[in-house]
Amino acid sequence: MRALSPGDTGDKINMTDTLYYDSHCPLCDKEVARLRDLSGEQLELRDIHTVDESGLPSRDRLLRTLHLRTGDGKLLQGLEANVAAWQHTRFGFLWRWLQWPLIRVVAGRVYDAWALWRYQRLYGENSIAAGSAQLHSKTEQSESKNFS
């Protein structure tokens, strides 16, 4: 994986996406290993536990769901970040259907529920109710964005 060098023009072709992942999650680590094997130079993989960059959400926020910063600076999260990461492989087309309008709503909710469960299991969230409220709020924001 490579980062943009000073001589890069900034064209979309030369822009690197960066996926921030949790190496303490066995399933996440396996998926990233597969992405590392299949992706090209346009996807940089960064472990949340070793990253120290400004302009990112808090480490806790990064641990709660997958994040991907596109080459043009947009920050994607959750299912959208996962689908975007897989677009750097020859299997990207298999993931695109998850972004279809009605499927995206359902798949996003399933992903968000899984991410909440994973976070609570790995990091001992004190209150399931607090996490559920966050999930509900995120789902409402996502739905309003999808139908706007």
Side-chain angles (χ1 to χ4, degrees):
M1 311 315 145
R2 72 170 189 80
L4 288 175
S5 63
D8 283 342
T9 63
D11 295 338
K12 184 63 177 166
I13 294 170
N14 292 327
M15 298 176 107
T16 302
D17 289 349
T18 304
L19 181 69
Y20 300 95
Y21 72 95
D22 181 1
S23 65
H24 294 179
C25 167
L27 180 62
C28 306
D29 216 28
K30 286 179 185 178
E31 183 173 2
V32 166
R34 185 159 299 151
L35 277 168
R36 185 174 283 115
D37 290 342
L38 297 171
S39 66
E41 294 181 353
Q42 301 303 312
L43 182 64
E44 182 179 357
L45 303 167
R46 305 284 310 270
D47 180 2
I48 294 165
H49 299 284
T50 61
V51 72
D52 186 23
E53 292 179 27
S54 62
L56 287 176
S58 69
R59 178 163 291 154
D60 183 67
R61 183 94 172 136
L62 289 171
L63 289 170
R64 288 179 180 272
T65 188
L66 194 64
H67 286 75
L68 181 138
R69 182 167 312 277
T70 63
D72 61 0
K74 184 176 178 185
L75 189 63
L76 308 177
Q77 62 182 350
L79 182 66
E80 187 177 21
N82 199 319
V83 171
W86 280 96
Q87 299 313 300
H88 291 277
T89 74
R90 66 181 181 265
F91 300 107
F93 71 95
L94 295 172
W95 294 82
R96 287 186 199 131
W97 66 274
L98 292 171
Q99 294 297 312
W100 294 350
L102 292 177
I103 293 172
R104 176 179 27 195
V105 173
V106 174
R109 285 182 181 173
V110 170
Y111 178 89
D112 291 344
W114 177 83
L116 176 62
W117 172 82
R118 181 202 73 85
Y119 179 82
Q120 290 171 341
R121 183 179 59 87
L122 291 174
Y123 299 103
E125 179 72 17
N126 292 332
S127 169
I128 291 176
S132 295
Q134 177 186 10
L135 176 63
H136 180 70
S137 172
K138 184 176 179 205
T139 300
E140 286 177 348
Q141 291 171 357
S142 175
E143 285 176 354
S144 66
K145 183 173 112 178
N146 290 339
F147 296 110
S148 296

